[in-house]
Amino acid sequence: MATITRPDNVVRTGIAPVSTQVAASLPWYFVGLIAAATAVYIGVIWDISWHMTIGRDTFWSPPHLMTYLSAILVGISCGYVAFKATFALTAVERAQSVGVGGFRAPLGAWVCVWGTLAMLTSAPFDNWWHGAYGLDVKIISPPHTLLSFGMYAIVIGALFMIAAGQNRARALGDDRVPRKVEWLYVYVAGLALSMVAIYTTEYSFRGVQHGSQFYRVSALAYPVVLVAAARSSSMRWAATWVALVYMASRIVMGWILPLFPAEPKLGPIYGPVDHMIPMQFPVLLVAPALVIDLLMQRVGKDATSSRRDWALAPLFGIAFLIAFLAVQWPFADFLHSPASRNWVFFSHEISYMVPAGSNARRYLYYSPHTLTSGIFWLGMIGAIGYAALSARAGLAWGRWMRQVQR
Amino acid sequence: MSRGFARVALVAAVAIVASAHVGSPNVFFDGMAGDYPVRVVVRPPEVIPGLAEITVRLTGSDTSGVRRVIVRPVYWRTGTTGSPRGDEAVRVPGPEPIYQGRLWFMSSGSYSVYVTIEGARGSGTVTVPVAAVATAQTSLSGGLRITLIVMGLALFAGLLAIIHAAFGESLTAPGSAVDPRRRRRARVITTFAVPVLLLALLGGARWWNVEAEAYRRTLYRPLDVRASIVSPPGGRAIELAIIDSAWLQRRMTGLIPDHGKLMHLFVIGDQGVLAFAHLHPTMRDSSTFYAALPSLPAGKYRVYGDVVHESGYERTLVTSLHIPAGVGPPSRSVIPWLDADDSWHIGGPAPVGDETTLADGSRMRWVGDTIVVAGRETTLRFAVQDSDGRPASLEPYMGMAGHAVVTRDDGSVFIHLHPMGTVTVAAQQAFAMRDRGDTTSAGRLRLDDASGVAVADHARHASHVVSEVSFPYEFPKAGTYRVWVQVKREGRILTGVFEAVVR
């Protein structure tokens, strides 16, 4: 349960009066931090599109620069915060910080710094990996995983800082949380969901969306973020907004990227392209997010006991899965149909490296399973388990995020 | 990504596992690109996908009219329509007209570099076939390994500190002290986090091993081949059998003839056996070849068979052969399975720079640059004089002014050279036919139509006397090498042998 900060605590510890404390729940450097986190995400989407279109890049290519400079900006600003909190000895800032190795900074700032260090460590590792095993044209590799952990940590760190600010404000009464802060929280949680969705890309191509593995991967990856956001945000439709942030960012990139001319600089070229190819249309997470929000409104955001959470987890998991399956299965058919091959849904945008004559180019599913396949439903049993586990993790994480104070 | 940086700073141990050209992976071409004489050197990457380094030297007397040199990677399976536009090669500062470029070879298999010269005499393109195979295994250099370990430890410790704070201090109201029960809980959770994180790291290490193993499986492995002496009806022969399952299960494109020969077979004496044979086997069935068995001295021999696949992929089959005493036909008048262009030579080498006497009394001398240094591009030049000391007149031997074979004494290097370099005309033809779009739906070529395809510079059809042969080459490593040079004079194939100590 969240510790309520009573008025006499406020006086005793010398923390500033209520109005400035609420304002201080959103530190001044925060806008820059969130802009940098956004830039990291946009940089990754741009880089993936670069690899799908041009193929050849260097260490200093524009999307790389965007991602790394943003990461360094995050590291510097959080490091500055730590320095200031440690040495400037402002009472407010000291009080709202945790100590690591003699330095003090908000927990989220430490997570951001960790994320920056992880990203910077992955760079020479990735460089060596390409020299040893060949330039990889895939998203999931050990060095890329370290990089993605780092990027995820940057976004999560920002999320933690907002959560702490929200909780400190909420301790003074629920109506004290500024609307702006609530929206920021949901936006950064949306960035977190978007990062997760990048990592699942290679399991989410439209051609596999009629197979159970796609649903198992989705059940493991997405509920944790959606449920955590739904529980820890004070907004009634938090998970829905989080899913909309993810979908909007991918759709807008899908509209903007093809406007830029480009051609492949790497062969073999199996299909000619003359403009930047975007990542596929996002999966329709808005539907399961809506259902999660509805369920959360019914059960209440407060976490009463661990046992109750264990009982709730399968409910959230199954709700996610049913809503997702109901919406994504027919939408996958739509993505394979000619009706989606336009600038709105961009399913005709195919990377140059997709082999000629492959199922992807012929708009065919990769595996023949249908809703009547026994194998599909057998695999969906695993999806139920994963969804329940993911939801349980989300409930725990959401509970923690309602409690974090600094 | 800077390949130079990666190679110098990060690569420590490079184990050359195997090479499609037996220890000599670099490709040399000396010839014409349209109207421009050029020498092209391609150093393929050791890891696929990887960067190939291309050096183009304009060898003509007048190079001032050249405006641009463009290099372009072409993968046989996708042809020119499936390759990116070429890159402009950069002129290396200096008096000589040398241009350098770097191209990515993204897939394993038959690649070529199209070199285009644009200038006052128009535009000319030449195809230089290159086999793209992964041949090297790298490991982390000391400096990088230490850096990653240090950073890894810092990240590990940092994560634990964050977890500890996340369940302790960060759940405490600002300004309050941490509740002792909460502090203990944080400590317990952090302690449990240690084995969990270690398990995750172990999983990561295992994943790394899986990736490394997957890469190792892409490394070039020579085909399993067996050579033996057999006595089929028709007479004794050398049998070369390809027993590799990849071949027997037809998982490879078939062979195409180079200069009318499906295979150039070299039988070279090992360990003190001073004998050399250049044979052209006949295909008996899809995996067996018979070649003439000349009367070679008994002993152990190394066998190299050069073939070209339909895709333009050049390969050397490697095996060994034991020739027992007393084999070979008693008289040289009838030798079963003999090809008109077969030749052999028994005898030792003359040292570098010295002369060697050929079988018909003429003399061959290694001229030009006789100091050989490993890793330095050079041209091996040999002049032939008849017994009176006048320059001898050489005839084309299988369409070329001469052929050369270079091997290292331990067998780790073998290369079959022509005046146009290490490339084969057949491979160039394979790419030319691909460009013409002359393929069936299965991607195979209609080779009966090959005669209509023009290929750049097919030997100097000289109207003047040719008495010198030259081969572009670069010795890959130091050691003792043997060089056999074969020329044709008055209908007779003559072989000169030289020994070179390469520093």
Side-chain angles (χ1 to χ4, degrees), chain B residues 28-358:
Chain B
F28 296 87
F29 172 80
D30 223 349
M32 303 294 287
D35 278 336
Y36 305 93
V38 289
R39 172 175 300 190
V40 180
V41 181
V42 180
R43 292 165 215 283
E46 288 166 347
V47 163
I48 300 291
L51 276 170
E53 285 172 10
I54 296 108
T55 309
V56 180
R57 181 204 307 259
L58 304 172
T59 51
S61 46
D62 173 27
T63 59
S64 54
V66 170
R67 278 193 309 267
R68 290 204 309 167
V69 175
I70 298 166
V71 291
R72 185 182 184 194
V74 177
Y75 187 50
W76 185 80
R77 279 187 67 200
T78 53
T80 46
T81 46
S83 20
R85 259 192 270 224
D87 289 350
E88 194 168 327
V90 171
R91 166 95 191 236
V92 170
E96 293 190 60
I98 302 178
Y99 295 77
Q100 280 197 324
R102 283 213 208 135
L103 297 174
W104 280 98
F105 283 4
M106 295 302 293
S107 307
S108 285
S110 179
Y111 254 94
S112 67
V113 176
Y114 279 35
V115 179
T116 303
I117 319 269
E118 283 175 8
R121 282 177 277 166
S123 173
T125 303
V126 67
T127 310
V128 181
V130 184
V133 282
T135 52
Q137 287 181 274
T138 46
S139 57
L140 280 168
S141 72
L144 183 62
R145 185 191 293 267
I146 290 175
T147 308
L148 287 180
I149 288 178
V150 165
M151 288 304 296
L153 284 172
L155 288 173
F156 189 84
L159 196 53
L160 286 175
I162 285 171
I163 291 173
H164 187 258
F167 289 98
E169 215 179 338
S170 76
L171 293 175
T172 313
S176 310
V178 183
D179 181 28
R181 218 178 49 216
R182 174 158 284 154
R183 194 198 300 273
R184 189 171 35 244
R185 187 159 175 266
R187 214 168 281 157
V188 167
I189 290 178
T190 309
T191 312
F192 270 112
V194 172
V196 169
L197 286 182
L198 283 176
L199 218 70
L201 273 177
L202 219 72
R206 194 151 180 276
W207 182 16
W208 188 339
N209 284 337
V210 166
E211 295 282 325
E213 188 51 44
Y215 168 74
R216 253 192 292 279
R217 273 185 259 121
T218 69
L219 289 173
Y220 176 77
R221 280 191 304 275
L223 281 184
D224 204 5
V225 169
R226 189 192 54 212
S228 52
I229 312 283
V230 295
S231 302
R236 273 212 152 117
I238 298 175
E239 179 193 78
L240 192 77
I242 304 177
I243 52 180
D244 198 291
S245 53
W247 179 266
L248 297 175
Q249 290 166 17
R250 297 181 180 278
R251 282 191 261 130
M252 310 190 144
T253 52
L255 303 180
I256 54 175
D258 181 31
H259 286 291
K261 319 289 183 195
L262 270 178
M263 183 189 298
H264 293 261
L265 189 69
F266 297 90
V267 183
I268 300 175
D270 196 9
Q271 295 162 0
V273 179
L274 299 171
F276 167 91
H278 177 178
L279 310 171
H280 303 99
T282 336
M283 205 174 210
R284 296 297 299 150
D285 59 42
S286 59
S287 62
T288 318
F289 296 79
Y290 282 171
L293 175 61
S295 45
L296 296 170
K300 189 161 178 286
Y301 287 79
R302 290 194 292 266
V303 177
Y304 303 95
D306 270 351
V307 295
V308 182
H309 288 266
E310 279 178 12
S311 60
Y313 189 85
E314 296 153 341
R315 182 195 292 274
T316 305
L317 306 170
V318 181
T319 185
S320 63
L321 174 70
H322 179 78
I323 296 184
V327 297
S331 89
R332 283 168 73 91
S333 55
V334 175
I335 302 178
W337 318 109
L338 183 70
D339 183 283
D341 292 311
D342 281 359
S343 61
W344 52 92
H345 176 85
I346 297 164
V352 169
D354 232 14
E355 274 191 356
T356 186
T357 310
L358 302 176

Side-chain angles (χ1 to χ4, degrees), chain A residues 56 58-59 95 99 104 114 121 127-129 131-135 138 145 168 263-264 266-270 400 405-406, chain B residues 1 47 49 78 82-85 87 104 106 138 140 144 151 155 166 169-174 176 207-208 211-212:
Chain A
R56 189 167 71 190
T58 66
F59 193 72
R104 296 193 67 81
W114 187 94
T121 306
N127 220 30
W128 173 84
W129 188 274
Y133 304 123
L135 182 71
K138 52 183 171 180
T145 302
R168 285 195 300 269
E263 65 170 24
L266 279 187
I269 303 170
Y270 291 106
W400 180 87
Q405 299 282 316
R406 25 166 152 174
Chain B
M1 178 173 41
V47 163
T78 53
S83 20
R85 259 192 270 224
D87 289 350
W104 280 98
M106 295 302 293
T138 46
L140 280 168
L144 183 62
M151 288 304 296
L155 288 173
E169 215 179 338
S170 76
L171 293 175
T172 313
S176 310
W207 182 16
W208 188 339
E211 295 282 325

Side-chain angles (χ1 to χ4, degrees), chain A residues 51-352:
Chain A
H51 280 280
M52 287 203 290
T53 312
I54 299 172
R56 189 167 71 190
D57 64 359
T58 66
F59 193 72
W60 310 107
S61 74
H64 287 176
L65 282 175
M66 187 176 194
T67 304
Y68 282 116
L69 282 177
S70 308
I72 290 176
L73 205 65
V74 164
I76 289 177
S77 57
C78 288
Y80 168 74
V81 165
F83 184 81
K84 199 157 163 298
T86 308
F87 297 108
L89 297 174
T90 320
V92 170
E93 280 161 341
R94 261 194 92 80
Q96 292 174 353
S97 308
V98 300
V100 169
F103 292 88
R104 296 193 67 81
L107 180 75
W110 288 120
V111 177
C112 284
V113 168
W114 187 94
T116 304
L117 286 178
M119 285 180 71
L120 292 177
T121 306
S122 80
F125 185 28
D126 201 25
N127 220 30
W128 173 84
W129 188 274
H130 294 163
Y133 304 123
L135 182 71
D136 48 21
V137 278
K138 52 183 171 180
I139 293 178
I140 300 184
S141 74
H144 289 171
T145 302
L146 181 61
L147 180 70
S148 67
F149 282 170
M151 293 191 291
Y152 197 66
I154 286 177
V155 173
I156 295 299
L159 197 65
F160 286 0
M161 281 194 268
I162 306 179
Q166 259 187 286
N167 294 335
R168 285 195 300 269
R170 198 182 292 143
L172 302 164
D174 263 345
D175 54 346
R176 299 287 190 170
V177 180
R179 212 61 189 149
K180 187 175 62 179
V181 176
E182 288 188 327
W183 281 113
L184 261 176
Y185 185 72
V186 145
Y187 170 72
V188 177
L191 280 184
L193 183 66
S194 307
M195 292 291 205
V196 170
I198 292 179
Y199 204 67
T200 59
T201 300
E202 284 165 353
Y203 295 94
S204 308
F205 296 127
R206 61 167 177 258
V208 300
Q209 287 182 10
H210 275 199
S212 62
Q213 189 196 49
F214 164 67
Y215 289 99
R216 282 197 299 278
V217 170
S218 305
L220 193 59
Y222 304 130
V224 54
V225 184
L226 292 172
V227 169
R231 173 172 262 186
S232 55
S233 166
S234 43
M235 292 175 74
R236 278 167 53 85
W237 302 102
T240 309
W241 285 115
V242 165
L244 282 174
V245 166
Y246 151 68
M247 290 184 63
S249 66
R250 288 279 290 266
I251 291 173
V252 166
M253 289 301 276
W255 290 342
I256 292 179
L257 280 168
L259 296 173
F260 292 88
E263 65 170 24
K265 292 254 174 65
L266 279 187
I269 303 170
Y270 291 106
V273 301
D274 62 2
H275 53 268
M276 295 290 279
I277 303 292
M279 291 172 77
Q280 166 185 285
F281 199 86
V283 294
L284 301 179
L285 286 179
V286 65
L290 253 165
V291 167
I292 285 174
D293 274 333
L294 282 168
L295 197 53
M296 190 62 79
Q297 285 164 20
R298 285 212 51 153
V299 303
K301 290 182 191 267
D302 281 330
T304 47
S305 75
S306 181
R307 186 175 304 164
R308 182 166 172 269
D309 278 353
W310 279 109
L312 285 176
L315 283 176
F316 277 101
I318 291 174
F320 171 90
L321 213 49
I322 292 176
F324 192 47
L325 184 62
V327 165
Q328 193 63 34
W329 187 280
F331 193 70
D333 283 332
F334 173 72
L335 284 179
H336 281 91
S337 73
S340 64
R341 297 173 209 169
N342 46 52
W343 69 270
V344 178
F345 296 98
F346 44 92
S347 64
H348 57 299
E349 305 282 9
I350 299 178
S351 167
Y352 75 88

